[in-house]
Amino acid sequence: MKQLVTLAAVLAVLPIGAFAQSADDELVGEDIIVTGGLTPISVNQIGRAYTVITGEQLQARGTRYVADALRLVPGLAVSRTGSFGGLTQIRARGAEGNQILVLVDGIEISPAGNGEVDFGSLIVTDIERIEVLRGPQSALYGSNAAAGVIQIFTRRGRRNGSTFRGTLEGGSDGTALVSLNAAGGEEDWDSAIGVSLRSTQGFNIATGTDDQTGERDGDRNLTITGRANWDFTPDFSMGINFFVADRKSDTDDQAFPFDPVTFAPLLNDPTFSKVIDSNDVNDATDISIGWFGRFEMLDDALVHEVKLGFTHNTSNSLSDGTLSFGTESQRLKAGYQASYAFSTGDVDHVVAGLIDYEQEQNDTNFADQQSRRVLGLGGEYRLAFGPAALQASVRNDFNNQFKDALTFSFSGSYDLEATGTRLHGSVGRGVTNPTFFEQFGSSPGRFIGNRDLIPERTFQWDLGIEQSFFDDRFILDATYFRGTVTDEISSGFNAAAGLATSVNTDGESTREGVEISLTMTPLDELSITGSYTYTLAKDGASGLSEVRRPRHTAALDATYTFLGDRAMLNANLVYNGDQYDSDFATGFFPAALQPRAKLDGYFLLSLQGSYAVTEQLDVFARVENALNSDYQEVLNYETQGFTGFGGIKLTF
């Protein structure tokens, strides 16, 4: 909480803000993808595979966690360790969780220590939209974007007016939610701030304890967002933003008892590898702050942008009130970007270049503080002529702790308006840097870091076709992707130390699959979206399917409005197919030899209804896991059954 106090002092003297591509927010709409390039790009010109989730869709579904919203996105798979607030990973196209970059209003929010966002900390609060790019995006965003990018845009302020929104919700397992948002502004500035507090007593996640006698594992999450923009002149604007997620989540221990003398695992112990009730807590705080300045010249054709971003993350695991593992990391990033748009005859061009500098630092209670730096140089060229559009990007990262990395991306789109057909495709190389823990980490008696690691390299291409029917009332998109990962970082053994470590594995890990999405509006009052993904991800060392990557996933969502749009009903069904997870019941082995257990597929059905009593007051009710499915996303961690919630929304 010390960081929250510091942040409050900063906010006392600074207006609320926005960062990165905030100045382009007025361009954001159904036809623009901000994340798709170094500058925003039209949807009929983007060759990359993308999905947009709007704030209206999130409201209609009653989604409370970003991870649950992403279950409906083709190509993504979700793994949650039990209860809300538990470690939650998102994997794109069969990749690891740290290979997808996560931004909030342009700021990378992942902890520098492990480079991976725990989606258990991200609740849906004041979100305007979520953009998802699939495939290697390192040429645009650097490392950790090897499998894609997820960018969350929070609500911006309102010019020449003000609004207030409030939500109160209660429900199963002692769950309560309070969410408040205020926004306003004048002709040349706007600002917004949002505060959400959600708490739940949770349920028993331990498979090694009887549900009737086991203790509940709850979660408390406080999220604060804010942003502002100022137009000092018609050509110069600037803004700031911040994002804070402070949470305290109950967890249970996974038992691996060992002989205190020989340190040999006690495999005959009935609790070995089971999740058992314990007084464990994860206390974490994530803070991100950003600033941008934007200057336009030559009738807005030449645009200069300067950007600063700072992220600070702390995570402490406590057992019976005693610190068992603690980490503190921070990232400072500064960059300059220039873009120039011009036309030659019927051809439109955009040329952009950037330089950015990033410094990361990580400290744990088991290892000395470590830091590393990277200097990135990149550029992008886009052209559009008639129905065709091409995009090319290249970037080189100069790393001070490991091998430098050159990445690239090419994509194209061809729009046959007469037939409602759009062809799109992309090819690119991405990189994922070793994490601090993989390089320098230490777990006494168990793990030692490897300072000789090099970045993982991903090469992938995709090709798709989008077809619309009936004046765009039915849109179907199908994309095939295929790629490889080389120098993949996996678990290994350090013979000299006699401990587990991380190594770059030989061979190529393959990723292949098909993504299908559809959007339908058969009636003005009825909207339907759906998706299906087939993913085949193979480990290069063993040839086996990668763990926690279901081969088949699908989703269907429908929203119906009636009574003059005052009433709304929503249903969404998610299918997660069979998948494998590592099984430690017989001990610990190198990753390629680790025994596996099969996790059965499952369906999750959610229902929500709402009614506008007045223009200012809405009431709603929601059911989650309406089928009361019994399933596991991570081996030996129980999941939530049937639950119900209800509440009110106020708007002024």
Side-chain angles (χ1 to χ4, degrees):
M1 295 299 292
K2 183 184 298 183
Q3 291 85 0
L4 288 177
V5 175
T6 303
L7 179 62
V10 173
L11 297 179
V13 296
L14 287 177
I16 306 160
F19 173 66
Q21 290 141 325
S22 306
D24 297 311
D25 284 349
E26 67 261 21
L27 301 176
V28 175
E30 295 182 357
D31 299 327
I32 293 292
I33 305 296
V34 174
T35 315
L38 294 183
T39 62
I41 185 171
S42 170
V43 296
N44 61 0
Q45 295 180 359
I46 188 170
R48 295 176 168 88
Y50 74 92
T51 298
V52 176
I53 304 172
T54 66
E56 290 77 11
Q57 289 174 319
L58 295 173
Q59 291 295 319
R61 298 166 185 167
T63 308
R64 290 294 174 254
Y65 286 84
V66 171
D68 293 323
L70 297 175
R71 293 180 190 273
L72 282 74
V73 175
L76 301 189
V78 179
S79 301
R80 176 185 284 138
T81 53
S83 184
F84 300 114
L87 174 64
T88 305
Q89 296 176 295
I90 303 292
R91 293 178 171 86
R93 291 184 170 179
E96 288 293 347
N98 68 331
Q99 294 177 337
I100 188 164
L101 183 70
V102 182
L103 309 171
V104 174
D105 294 326
I107 307 176
E108 182 180 354
I109 64 170
S110 65
N114 62 13
E116 178 178 349
V117 169
D118 177 3
F119 280 82
S121 67
L122 295 181
I123 61 175
V124 174
T125 173
D126 295 319
I127 292 179
E128 186 68 34
R129 64 195 261 138
I130 302 174
E131 295 183 353
V132 181
L133 290 182
R134 298 181 293 279
Q137 311 298 331
S138 294
L140 295 174
Y141 293 97
S143 66
N144 297 53
V149 177
I150 298 172
Q151 177 151 211
I152 299 169
F153 295 91
T154 61
R155 287 195 183 103
R156 67 171 295 161
R158 177 181 176 183
R159 299 258 167 138
N160 298 313
S162 62
T163 59
F164 171 82
R165 300 181 182 91
T167 301
L168 297 174
E169 178 181 287
S172 300
D173 300 326
T175 300
L177 168 71
V178 179
S179 180
L180 304 173
N181 171 272
E186 299 293 342
E187 184 176 350
D188 56 356
W189 67 272
D190 60 79
S191 64
I193 186 169
V195 180
S196 292
L197 176 63
R198 189 180 194 271
S199 65
T200 179
Q201 296 176 12
F203 58 95
N204 182 28
I205 67 173
T207 51
T209 308
D210 185 84
D211 287 343
Q212 303 302 316
T213 60
E215 50 88 21
R216 291 183 170 189
D217 299 289
D219 176 62
R220 188 270 301 153
N221 184 304
L222 172 65
T223 297
I224 308 172
T225 63
R227 57 187 303 182
N229 299 281
W230 299 270
D231 297 334
F232 291 97
T233 71
D235 300 321
F236 175 65
S237 59
M238 63 177 290
I240 60 172
N241 88 317
F242 69 89
F243 167 80
V244 178
D246 182 79
R247 62 178 174 135
K248 190 173 184 179
S249 306
D250 296 331
T251 62
D252 281 336
D253 187 30
Q254 191 165 11
F256 296 108
F258 57 88
D259 187 287
V261 178
T262 65
F263 294 100
L266 301 177
L267 301 179
N268 292 327
D269 191 303
T271 66
F272 194 86
S273 82
K274 297 291 186 181
V275 178
I276 59 174
D277 281 334
S278 59
N279 187 22
D280 291 358
V281 173
N282 182 39
D283 194 346
T285 303
D286 304 315
I287 300 174
S288 298
I289 304 174
W291 173 90
F292 84 91
R294 177 185 174 103
F295 182 61
E296 300 172 350
M297 302 174 61
L298 304 179
D299 294 327
D300 302 341
L302 177 61
V303 179
H304 303 271
E305 293 181 88
V306 179
K307 310 173 184 181
L308 297 174
F310 175 77
T311 302
H312 188 276
N313 310 86
T314 59
S315 179
N316 294 313
S317 297
L318 307 173
S319 182
D320 293 321
T322 301
L323 179 67
S324 56
F325 182 78
T327 179
E328 181 177 3
S329 63
Q330 64 184 34
R331 177 186 301 107
L332 177 65
K333 190 168 186 175
Y336 164 77
Q337 174 180 305
S339 60
Y340 181 58
F342 62 98
S343 298
T344 56
D346 295 331
V347 182
D348 297 326
H349 310 260
V350 177
V351 180
L354 66 82
I355 177 172
D356 59 40
Y357 172 81
E358 180 178 272
Q359 179 168 315
E360 296 180 320
Q361 180 177 298
N362 187 63
D363 189 15
T364 75
N365 59 329
F366 287 131
D368 295 334
Q369 185 181 94
Q370 299 290 339
S371 64
R372 60 192 190 190
R373 301 180 301 277
V374 56
L375 175 67
L377 299 175
E380 180 186 54
Y381 172 64
R382 299 205 309 256
L383 63 86
F385 51 97
L390 299 174
Q391 183 178 7
S393 306
V394 64
R395 178 185 173 104
N396 198 88
D397 287 326
F398 302 91
N399 301 291
N400 75 319
Q401 289 283 1
F402 40 81
K403 187 177 179 180
D404 297 341
L406 177 67
T407 56
F408 62 85
S409 176
F410 300 97
S411 63
S413 174
Y414 193 85
D415 194 352
L416 299 169
E417 295 183 4
T419 62
T421 305
R422 188 176 74 90
L423 305 176
H424 58 85
S426 67
V427 59
R429 173 187 288 170
V431 295
T432 304
N433 291 339
T435 68
F436 273 94
F437 186 76
E438 290 167 341
Q439 270 193 295
F440 311 110
S442 173
S443 180
R446 295 187 179 184
F447 180 87
I448 186 172
N450 181 358
R451 301 190 180 213
D452 295 326
L453 291 172
I454 62 175
E456 299 172 310
R457 293 178 296 155
T458 297
F459 177 82
Q460 191 174 107
W461 61 269
D462 60 47
L463 187 63
I465 180 171
E466 178 187 285
Q467 183 66 53
S468 62
F469 306 90
F470 312 117
D471 294 328
D472 293 340
R473 283 187 174 270
F474 185 101
I475 301 175
L476 179 68
D477 188 286
T479 301
Y480 171 79
F481 65 88
R482 183 177 178 86
T484 58
V485 180
T486 55
D487 299 318
E488 185 173 15
I489 298 174
S490 184
S491 60
F493 186 74
N494 185 315
L499 298 173
T501 189
S502 296
V503 297
N504 291 107
T505 59
D506 296 328
E508 292 183 339
S509 298
T510 59
R511 311 282 187 256
E512 182 180 14
V514 176
E515 300 164 342
I516 299 175
S517 64
L518 65 88
T519 303
M520 295 185 292
T521 53
L523 303 171
D524 291 341
E525 301 84 6
L526 177 63
S527 61
I528 301 172
T529 61
S531 66
Y532 166 77
T533 304
Y534 171 82
T535 304
L536 183 60
K538 295 283 189 177
D539 176 71
S542 66
L544 299 175
S545 296
E546 299 269 21
V547 298
R548 301 183 189 176
R549 277 82 154 179
R551 193 162 292 189
H552 303 277
T553 58
L556 187 65
D557 178 84
T559 300
Y560 180 68
T561 59
F562 54 103
L563 297 180
D565 292 340
R566 296 184 66 176
M568 179 184 297
L569 293 176
N570 174 268
N572 67 78
L573 181 66
V574 173
Y575 172 70
N576 198 95
D578 297 346
Q579 60 184 319
Y580 290 92
D581 202 357
S582 297
D583 187 357
F584 299 97
T586 58
F588 299 92
F589 300 85
L593 302 176
Q594 184 65 50
R596 301 179 179 200
K598 183 179 180 181
L599 302 179
D600 294 333
Y602 58 87
F603 287 93
L604 291 178
L605 174 65
S606 297
L607 306 170
Q608 173 161 289
S610 63
Y611 179 72
V613 179
T614 68
E615 290 185 0
Q616 290 78 35
L617 174 64
D618 286 22
V619 295
F620 63 89
R622 185 176 73 260
V623 172
E624 296 181 357
N625 195 1
L627 302 176
N628 199 29
S629 298
D630 184 13
Y631 65 101
Q632 289 185 6
E633 294 182 315
V634 176
L635 183 63
N636 291 325
Y637 283 86
E638 295 290 359
T639 52
Q640 180 65 287
F642 179 97
T643 55
F645 307 90
I648 62 172
K649 299 177 185 176
L650 297 172
T651 304
F652 298 99

